[in-house]
Each structure stands twice: as C-alpha cells, then as structure tokens.
Amino acid sequence: MSRNYGIGHRDIYVAGKAFLKQSLHRKEISGASFGTLAQRWSKFARYIKYNTANGVGRLERITREAVLEYGKHLADKVDAEEITAGYAQNLVSAINSVMKNTPTDWKPVGPVKDCHLPKRSNVRTTVPGGMDRLAYENARTALRESGNTAGEAVAGLARELGLRSEEASLLDARKSLAEAERAGKVTVMLGTKGGRLREVPITTTKQIDALRGAAAAQGQRRSLMPTEATWKTWREGGLRKIRETVQQHTGGGLHDLRAAYACDRYKALTGHDAPVIAGRVVDRAADLAARQQIARELGHGRIDVVSSYVGGRS
C-alpha cells in the first residue's frame, strides 16, 4: 500500500481531508462540519510536520503519543489564554474524526481525560485549586527546590496579582516593585491582550512579597523570561514545566491561579465568598460592581468573562 493508506496523495493534510470527504459522502457529517473539521485538521497536520522530531509526513506514522504531545502544546496555549479550552478540545476531536476513517484500529484520544485539557465552560463550577494556600505554597516550594526561581516567581505573580502567564513572564518586576511601593499599583503593559495597558491595585502584603521574589529572580534581566528565549520556546519549555508543577500540586495551571486571585478580590470587594465557593450570589448589586472591577484588573473588556473565574450570577 502506498503512503497515506493508499489515498493517492503525499501531503498529510490533503490525505486526511480525503478521509473526511469519505465521511461526508457517507452522510456521517454535514458539509459545514466537513469544512470545520478540515480546517482544524490542518492545524494538527502543520504542527506534526514542522514541530516534531524528524517531522511526521504520513498518516501511518501518527501515534497516540504524537497526539498527546499535541495536546500538551494546546494546553500550553490554553493556559496562556491564547486559545479557549473549548477550541483546544475541538482541535483534538478533529484528529479523531480523521483517524477513525483510516484503515487502522485507531483508539480515540480524549481531550480532557488523555490530554488533560481544561473542561469547557463559560461559568466556573469548581473552586480554583490555588485557593488552597498550602497546595499553592507546595507548588512554589517544588519549583524553588528544583532551581526554578523564575517559575516560582511567575506562579506568584499569577496568584497574587492575577497576571496572565505571558504578562508575568514579560513583566519588569524591579520597576513594578518600585511602582507598587510608590504608587500602590502595578501597570501591566507587555503581553496583554490587544496590547491594552491596565493597572492592578496593590492591596495586600502578599503582592509586594510576590514582586520582591520576582525582582530577585529576574536579576539584571529585563524580565523573568530568559533573554535567549522567544515567547514560543518559553511557553512550550519553561512555562510548560511551571504549569505542570502547579497542576501537580493544586490541580490547575497558571490560569487557575488567576481564578484564585479573582475569588480573593471578589471577597475583598463584596465581603462575601465568590459564588463558586458560596454556591450563590449574596448581594447582587455588590456582585455586579465587583465583577466590573475584577474584569478591569484581569484585563477583560466584558464582565461576563468573570463568571469563568468566580462563578455565575444565578
């Protein structure tokens, strides 16, 4: 049999698309689904060809291990808030849709169970693991004891200031510490969504401690990210190790630490636990005001996004 299971084309993307077309002809999927799945399959085809050792250029060489590695790549992007959990799950599911049509005994890869992608939800229903201070400190200790002081600092900035992983990585912690002590705020400029500048208020000593630790870990560099690294190599190298260590101890990644920050701020602003903890909204007027403030602090333009951090309003 020729390469790509005899499909008659050497390109892995085209071959996979041809197998999807077979599903279309059997009326197992609609025309719209065919187009969507093909587009998602193209992402994997490009990744596996150019971002894996020796490059995979034929369907016969696609293994569960390769898909699991792709899942880690997607989890890195979800944690960095570059893509949503739902979209990442759809990308993995598209691979299953293609591979199940090939003449092989393909065992589907579960986006959540196997790839450990977060569950898709616009409303948080589980308490952020970072709310457990002991678990969080254990994660930081593990990072520090492994010599990863930059990782410990990134985790601290995510938990205490609610920074995204890219924002924490690119923050000039020395300048930010000086600003925090002088003005009672930190201005976040690099790594923000859409390049929108925002301010994070300094309201606790833990925030100052996190900034001091980050400034020490940064040393003479401009940020915590190594000078020789690009954002892509750092996200899939250093940040992945940080995320996996935090996840091992708290059950969630760096994005989950942002949710813990949001829950802390919700209580500070309203006097009540966040709905995901309390199980309900106690004061709807205070709840709305808190969501508006938290949205600003986290760098979101819409308050409905805050539900994914602190729980819903119903």
Side-chain angles (χ1 to χ4, degrees), residues 2-163:
S2 62
R3 64 186 294 160
N4 288 324
Y5 295 112
I7 207 67
H9 203 289
R10 295 173 61 85
D11 185 270
I12 193 172
Y13 162 65
V14 175
K17 190 175 178 180
F19 279 112
L20 279 176
K21 190 164 288 187
Q22 292 178 7
S23 282
L24 177 63
H25 291 159
R26 291 192 298 267
K27 298 184 178 180
E28 296 170 350
I29 58 175
S30 66
S33 294
F34 168 75
T36 299
L37 289 169
Q39 189 273 336
R40 292 168 181 168
W41 167 255
S42 72
K43 302 282 188 183
F44 175 66
R46 189 179 306 116
Y47 172 85
I48 202 169
K49 185 174 182 179
Y50 297 109
N51 293 278
T52 57
N54 302 318
V56 174
R58 54 195 302 174
L59 293 172
E60 291 91 342
R61 292 181 57 195
I62 294 176
T63 63
R64 281 180 58 83
E65 289 68 28
V67 179
L68 291 174
E69 183 58 33
Y70 182 60
K72 288 183 180 181
H73 164 76
L74 295 176
D76 294 335
K77 300 188 76 169
V78 171
D79 211 50
E81 295 187 42
E82 295 178 13
I83 60 175
T84 65
Y87 183 56
Q89 289 182 37
N90 288 337
L91 289 173
V92 173
S93 296
I95 302 169
N96 291 322
S97 295
V98 170
M99 295 303 295
K100 74 178 183 179
N101 285 290
T102 61
T104 184
D105 185 21
W106 179 254
K107 182 181 178 182
V109 176
V112 175
K113 181 180 178 181
D114 298 322
C115 296
H116 304 295
L117 290 169
K119 294 180 179 179
R120 68 181 84 199
S121 175
N122 293 325
V123 177
R124 177 172 283 273
T125 57
T126 58
V127 178
M131 292 300 293
D132 183 337
R133 281 281 175 182
L134 178 59
Y136 161 67
E137 291 299 339
N138 286 341
R140 294 185 67 213
T141 298
L143 289 164
R144 182 173 63 252
E145 291 181 347
S146 68
N148 195 345
T149 55
E152 179 189 9
V154 166
L157 293 174
R159 177 64 181 85
E160 309 303 350
L161 283 85
L163 300 191

Side-chain angles (χ1 to χ4, degrees), residues 214-267:
Q218 176 180 322
Q220 297 305 308
R221 301 194 304 274
R222 293 183 178 180
S223 68
L224 289 167
M225 190 173 79
T227 307
E228 68 279 6
T230 65
W231 167 241
K232 183 177 184 295
T233 59
W234 172 242
R235 182 192 65 205
E236 297 189 359
L239 276 180
R240 177 179 294 182
K241 293 177 182 177
I242 300 168
R243 173 175 59 80
E244 290 177 347
T245 299
V246 172
Q247 193 170 45
Q248 179 183 355
H249 290 274
T250 69
L254 294 170
H255 181 70
D256 196 68
L257 295 184
R258 262 167 60 85
Y261 166 84
C263 287
D264 278 353
R265 289 296 289 144
Y266 185 96
K267 185 167 187 177

